[in-house]
Amino acid sequence: MLGKYGVFPPTDPEFEDPPKLDKYDVIVVGGGGGGYHGAFQLSAGGYRVLMVDDKGNLGGNCLYEGCIPSKSVFYMVYLAERLRRLAKRSAGAAEVKAIWEEAVDHKDEVQYLRYLQHIREIKEHGNVDFVKGVARVLDGRRVEVTAVDGSWRKTVEGSRLLLATGSVAVRLPIPGAELAIGSEELFGYRTKRRTLPREVVVIGGGYIGVEVASAMASAGAKVTVVEMLPRIMSGWDSSIVSMIEGALKGRGVEILTNSRVTAIREESGQKVVEFQRPDGSKGTVAGEEVVMAVGRKPYVEGLEALGIVEKGRVVADSSMSTKAPGVYAAGDVLGKYMLYHAAVKESTVAAWNIMMGRPVYEVNFNAIPLTLFTEPEAAMVGISEDEARARGIPYVAVQYPLEDDSYAQIVGVREGWVKLIVERESQRIIGGSVYGEAASMIINEIALAVAVNARVRDLALLAHAHPTIFESIDRAAVRFSL
């Protein structure tokens, strides 16, 4: 629910005042990645902007409970695991428990640091009026803004609207759903849950569930993943999924696929998850804690009247324009690429097109990378091998094993590979995937190659600094031959 948080982020007293003006050039609804990047671009372009967010700060769910805090925890857990592996020693139960608690403290510090940074950034953009409040869109021009505590209410008008209302976590409509926790309880700002459960059941085998399962298992918990589909990580390259499954099982994670959760109940001090298989057979699995990670859905409440919502999401074209005149949208509310870095580019493109007065710029959705922050990491961009085969695209896949990479050897994470998908006739890079050390970083260079239609020889001839993990890209590229 908007305006309802266990702990609000730090804010500035002036952000709690009503909007200063009655009319603005642009009203931005939402201060996450889909909102504030565009607002800052518009401010730099001389536009007077009102930005409204119920948290009283920037970053949206990504900073409050998602990308930033979760990766802060994961990084510390995996770093500790890696150091133990390099030193060839094991950790006792007390040490492992302390690592998780220290990681939660670390993520609080990172969140606080970034919230203070965002307050400074807002003040640096003088054309932006930022208001802590709940926005209700009345029509294509008017927005009603209400204080979080209900102490004031004001209706303002904007020549343009940029809708960046984000998304909310999905909760299964099953008995006992309230017994499960989610990202907010695990990683929310100043969360009260600071210790690692001994046994955890994760409902959902998508990227959020898999990341949580991997980190908790690395920190010493006994983890079971329950997924309703035949395989975890639906939509990912099958070769990557196989590696991820192996890594999880190597950490003792049990994976139950084709298992649809039907209920959660408490019994003998534990939480019991009930599930049913396609053949009608039933089963249960119990744990000290249950994490529900079955995805997120666009937050479209109040937007239906604009005629831009279809199948539970706002529809916009690649220029970020909706069919409502003067109304743009960006971020998770589109239900397309529900990723912070995608939202940032969508927001920027929306702002640029508002300033141009017509659709000039477009988001290249084919070049948006997907990342998985497990240990090792995984990432992919563009067209996968599975997709190329399904679409009948003549291609060549070239692959370099990271076990031969000097940097991977130095840091002790030799599993995995870098793979490039090359269109046979044009020799363009049309996709790529990485499983291994720093996959989330390597994939960005491959994404750039996809975005600019680079040919495989362009990467083969690019000299990467030695010894860095990025050498694996040109080592893969030089293996191409017709």
Side-chain angles (χ1 to χ4, degrees):
M1 182 180 294
L2 291 181
K4 303 293 183 182
Y5 302 97
V7 179
F8 276 89
T11 190
D12 189 278
E14 71 177 50
F15 298 163
E16 299 184 296
D17 295 333
K20 297 175 184 177
L21 306 178
D22 295 326
K23 294 184 179 181
Y24 289 87
D25 296 322
V26 183
I27 298 175
V28 179
V29 182
Y36 80 87
H37 287 271
F40 288 171
Q41 290 289 307
L42 291 162
S43 172
Y47 285 66
R48 196 61 193 265
V49 180
L50 171 66
M51 180 164 45
V52 183
D53 191 274
D54 66 321
K55 293 183 180 69
N57 210 312
L58 305 180
N61 288 319
C62 174
L63 180 52
Y64 188 82
E65 64 182 74
C67 346
I68 298 297
S70 64
K71 277 55 177 181
S72 298
V73 171
F74 300 163
Y75 178 79
M76 279 199 66
V77 169
Y78 294 140
L79 180 59
E81 178 188 63
R82 186 175 298 185
L83 290 172
R84 291 195 304 270
R85 186 168 61 244
L86 288 172
K88 295 181 172 59
R89 71 175 183 86
S90 59
E95 180 183 347
V96 171
K97 179 181 178 182
I99 288 170
W100 183 269
E101 295 171 6
E102 291 167 359
V104 174
D105 290 340
H106 172 63
K107 72 93 187 163
D108 279 349
E109 294 170 2
V110 173
Q111 286 171 295
Y112 183 68
L113 175 69
R114 291 196 63 76
Y115 279 131
L116 294 186
Q117 173 187 328
H118 286 325
I119 291 173
R120 170 177 56 80
E121 290 170 336
I122 293 170
K123 291 178 176 291
E124 289 172 349
H125 290 82
N127 287 328
V128 175
D129 289 346
F130 181 78
V131 173
K132 177 181 180 180
V134 177
R136 184 167 72 94
V137 178
L138 303 177
D139 54 39
R141 293 290 181 271
R142 296 180 304 136
V143 176
E144 180 187 80
V145 184
T146 305
V148 170
D149 63 5
S151 59
W152 54 259
R153 178 177 288 112
K154 182 176 181 178
T155 298
V156 291
E157 183 178 332
S159 299
R160 299 286 188 273
L161 300 184
L162 173 53
L163 305 177
T165 52
S167 62
V168 294
V170 174
R171 296 193 72 83
L172 295 177
I174 58 173
E178 71 281 358
L179 297 174
I181 63 173
S183 294
E184 183 172 354
E185 291 83 3
L186 282 174
F187 307 118
Y189 184 63
R190 306 290 186 196
T191 177
K192 295 179 179 179
R193 295 177 184 268
R194 316 200 60 92
T195 59
L196 178 70
R198 293 184 301 274
E199 296 179 331
V200 183
V201 180
V202 178
I203 303 174
Y207 79 92
I208 297 176
V210 167
E211 287 181 349
V212 169
S214 176
M216 285 189 159
S218 293
K222 174 66 178 72
V223 182
T224 303
V225 176
V226 185
E227 167 59 47
M228 68 177 295
L229 296 176
R231 207 171 189 190
I232 62 171
M233 298 300 297
S234 175
W236 278 65
D237 187 298
S238 58
S239 60
I240 287 184
V241 176
S242 296
M243 300 293 285
I244 294 167
E245 289 172 335
L248 289 174
K249 292 175 182 178
R251 286 182 166 81
V253 177
E254 184 179 5
I255 303 173
L256 304 177
T257 54
N258 284 316
S259 301
R260 181 175 60 85
V261 174
T262 56
I264 307 171
R265 55 183 168 82
E266 289 184 299
E267 183 180 293
S268 303
Q270 286 196 311
K271 297 177 181 180
V272 180
V273 175
E274 301 176 4
F275 59 87
Q276 182 173 325
R277 304 179 185 89
D279 61 6
S281 62
K282 299 179 180 180
T284 63
V285 60
E288 181 182 339
E289 196 57 85
V290 175
V291 178
M292 189 171 292
V294 293
R296 301 184 66 86
K297 62 180 179 181
Y299 185 78
V300 296
E301 185 175 327
L303 303 180
E304 293 89 350
L306 296 178
I308 59 176
V309 177
E310 295 179 14
K311 298 180 180 180
R313 66 182 184 91
V314 168
V315 177
D317 59 25
S318 57
S319 72
M320 300 297 101
S321 300
T322 71
K323 63 182 179 181
V327 178
Y328 296 76
D332 283 7
V333 72
L334 300 175
K336 194 165 186 174
Y337 281 80
M338 299 176 75
L339 303 164
Y340 179 85
H341 49 282
V344 169
K345 296 310 152 192
E346 292 162 359
S347 182
T348 301
V349 164
W352 287 1
N353 285 328
I354 287 172
M355 290 187 284
M356 294 298 295
R358 57 191 178 90
V360 174
Y361 299 98
E362 295 182 336
V363 176
N364 183 355
F365 290 105
N366 192 50
I368 295 176
L370 306 179
T371 54
L372 182 71
F373 291 88
T374 50
E375 173 75 353
E377 296 178 347
M380 56 186 288
V381 69
I383 297 174
S384 68
E385 276 200 271
D386 295 340
E387 185 179 357
R389 282 193 293 265
R391 292 170 55 179
I393 298 174
Y395 76 95
V396 175
V398 289
Q399 185 169 307
Y400 178 72
L402 290 177
E403 66 178 353
D404 295 337
D405 181 79
S406 59
Y407 184 85
Q409 293 165 355
I410 290 169
V411 300
V413 184
R414 297 176 59 199
E415 305 98 323
W417 33 257
V418 172
K419 183 193 297 183
L420 304 176
I421 310 301
V422 184
E423 187 178 50
R424 183 180 294 274
E425 183 176 355
S426 67
Q427 299 186 19
R428 291 185 305 115
I429 304 292
I430 58 174
S433 60
V434 185
Y435 180 79
E437 169 66 15
S440 63
M441 298 184 186
I442 297 171
I443 200 65
N444 294 293
E445 185 172 314
I446 302 175
L448 177 61
V450 172
V452 301
N453 292 313
R455 287 171 169 75
V456 67
R457 68 170 179 269
D458 297 323
L459 292 186
L461 292 174
L462 182 60
H464 295 88
H466 177 76
T468 69
I469 196 73
F470 297 96
E471 290 177 286
S472 59
I473 300 174
D474 64 71
R475 300 291 168 82
V478 296
R479 296 185 172 208
F480 174 82
S481 62
L482 284 176

